[in-house]
Amino acid sequence: MADIPGKYDEIESYVATRGVIGDEWVGGEQLDMYELAAGVKATGLDRLNTIFFHNCLMGNIETLSELRGVADLIVASAHILASKGNILAEYIRGLQNTNTSEEAFHHMMTEARSSWEKEIETESIAGYDALSPLGGMSNGDLKMLRADGLDAVIDASKRLATRLQALYPTQREAIDRATNQVYRYMAYGIPVVDSLIATFFDLADYARKLAQNMGDAEMNAISQALDKAFDDAFVEYADVNYNEHRLPHYTLSVCLTGNQAYTSTNAVQSLSRYRIPLLCNYYEGYEQTTFHKLTGWGNWLRLNEQQPAGNPVNQHNDVPSK
């Protein structure tokens, strides 16, 4: 309604049956994953049709696991999201002129894809300082998924965490090697920061790399189960790549870090130059998540002695080529 003044004047006296609820940062105060879920429930609505994250790195399994009971559909990007609002504006226009959120997403990508790709290309060519929070955005993704489809992803993730814990004592070398090969969605280039903040790794790619390195039949079955779960959950999907490091199909990210960073209780000073707040007692927060409670993922992070290093990432500081 704010974008198109006057459009709804004729129905302002009626009860709305359809609309868009927008949330913006106010004074640096952001909703965390629990507040967002609680806020939806507090509206008195049974559930929302769609939650659209016009934010970076929100395609993570931890956040989306909290929301699967409060929305039918979720739109998110696992990468840094390069957009000046054009994709969201076209999505809203799509809602005005189509019957479903799925059709609106399709309209959005038809009308806004070229400008979305240009945004990512422009930011990539600009070659942001690798130590900045943006890092140089070379790849991007945007997907719509069915929230109830996350249940199968969570089930497969539990199998994955359980198998990793069981085999780590005897197959550590292969598992560590796989941990250093997983696609990473962002990096700061500072080891301590990467350990605590840049922990976004592709979940299905992790299972795939583990299966390739371990030669374990159960791990291969888990990888196939994750691939199928994501295929079933995704309703609409789009990506763009300007980096040699890419995946044929991006899924959702999962936290991956070594036990030293995960279990550290030492307070770490912020890096004032980059204004990056570092964390301590990471595990205390992570193990409050629904994803951990359902899968035991944090138990694997407590055990994992390999801090991911040298992983292929979506950023670079060179002029990209498609």
Side-chain angles (χ1 to χ4, degrees):
M1 287 189 285
D3 288 344
I4 310 176
K7 180 174 177 62
Y8 295 96
D9 288 350
E10 71 278 11
I11 62 166
E12 63 182 4
S13 62
Y14 292 84
V15 175
T17 59
R18 184 176 188 187
V20 175
I21 305 170
D23 172 66
E24 295 291 342
W25 294 1
V26 178
E29 180 69 20
Q30 303 98 29
L31 291 172
D32 65 34
M33 64 178 82
Y34 311 109
E35 291 170 330
L36 179 54
V40 174
K41 294 173 183 176
T43 64
L45 298 172
D46 180 49
R47 63 202 295 116
L48 296 180
N49 177 272
T50 306
I51 294 177
F52 190 124
F53 284 108
H54 193 270
N55 308 81
C56 301
L57 304 168
M58 295 307 296
N60 67 82
I61 186 64
E62 291 87 1
T63 296
L64 302 195
S65 293
E66 298 295 333
L67 303 177
R68 73 194 198 289
V70 300
D72 295 326
L73 299 165
I74 301 173
V75 179
S77 172
H79 286 93
I80 297 290
L81 181 65
S83 170
K84 293 180 178 171
N86 55 308
I87 53 176
L88 187 57
E90 287 298 340
Y91 172 73
I92 293 173
R93 291 189 182 99
L95 288 176
Q96 295 167 351
N97 300 309
T98 63
N99 294 316
T100 67
S101 185
E102 295 94 323
E103 291 175 295
F105 187 99
H106 182 75
H107 164 88
M108 174 188 76
M109 294 314 301
T110 300
E111 298 298 322
R113 180 168 187 128
S114 60
S115 59
W116 174 61
E117 291 181 356
K118 188 64 178 177
E119 287 286 341
I120 296 173
E121 181 183 24
T122 300
E123 302 295 359
S124 299
I125 291 174
Y128 282 79
D129 179 352
L131 302 185
S132 78
L134 294 180
M137 297 167 282
S138 300
N139 300 335
D141 77 292
L142 198 64
K143 74 263 296 186
M144 171 181 279
L145 57 91
R146 294 185 299 103
D148 59 8
L150 290 172
D151 288 341
V153 176
I154 289 169
D155 289 344
S157 299
K158 180 178 181 178
R159 291 173 60 190
L160 178 58
T162 301
R163 192 64 174 166
L164 282 167
Q165 292 172 76
L167 295 183
Y168 197 55
T170 59
Q171 295 202 37
R172 176 178 170 180
E173 183 178 352
I175 294 173
D176 286 353
R177 186 167 58 247
T179 300
N180 283 336
Q181 296 172 352
V182 186
Y183 181 87
R184 188 176 207 152
Y185 284 100
M186 68 174 297
Y188 285 80
I190 306 172
V192 67
V193 177
D194 284 344
S195 298
L196 295 172
I197 295 179
T199 59
F200 300 91
F201 294 82
D202 192 274
L203 177 54
D205 187 50
Y206 192 29
R208 194 174 303 118
K209 292 296 195 301
L210 287 163
Q212 291 169 355
N213 280 274
M214 296 172 65
D216 177 65
E218 172 63 10
M219 190 61 72
N220 188 59
I222 293 169
S223 176
Q224 292 178 11
L226 266 175
D227 286 341
K228 184 180 186 305
F230 278 121
D231 286 344
D232 292 343
F234 289 166
V235 178
E236 297 278 354
Y237 175 90
D239 64 29
V240 58
N241 300 284
Y242 295 98
N243 190 315
E244 62 179 319
H245 298 304
R246 65 188 67 173
L247 296 180
H249 196 74
Y250 303 105
T251 60
L252 298 178
S253 68
V254 69
C255 178
L256 183 58
T257 190
N259 61 12
Q260 186 174 2
Y262 184 72
T263 61
S264 173
T265 57
N266 296 321
V268 183
Q269 295 296 319
S270 297
L271 298 178
S272 58
R273 175 184 172 190
Y274 304 108
R275 295 177 296 181
I276 301 170
L278 299 184
L279 310 175
C280 62
N281 295 13
Y282 196 115
Y283 65 93
E284 291 186 357
Y286 193 85
E287 292 175 15
Q288 297 303 309
T289 66
T290 294
F291 181 70
H292 164 77
K293 291 175 181 178
L294 293 177
T295 66
W297 192 260
N299 298 334
W300 160 236
L301 300 183
R302 283 177 178 269
L303 182 64
N304 172 38
E305 295 186 15
Q306 179 60 45
Q307 176 59 42
N311 299 70
V313 294
N314 72 303
Q315 298 91 338
H316 66 172
N317 292 318
D318 303 317
V319 175
S321 59
K322 253 186 179 177

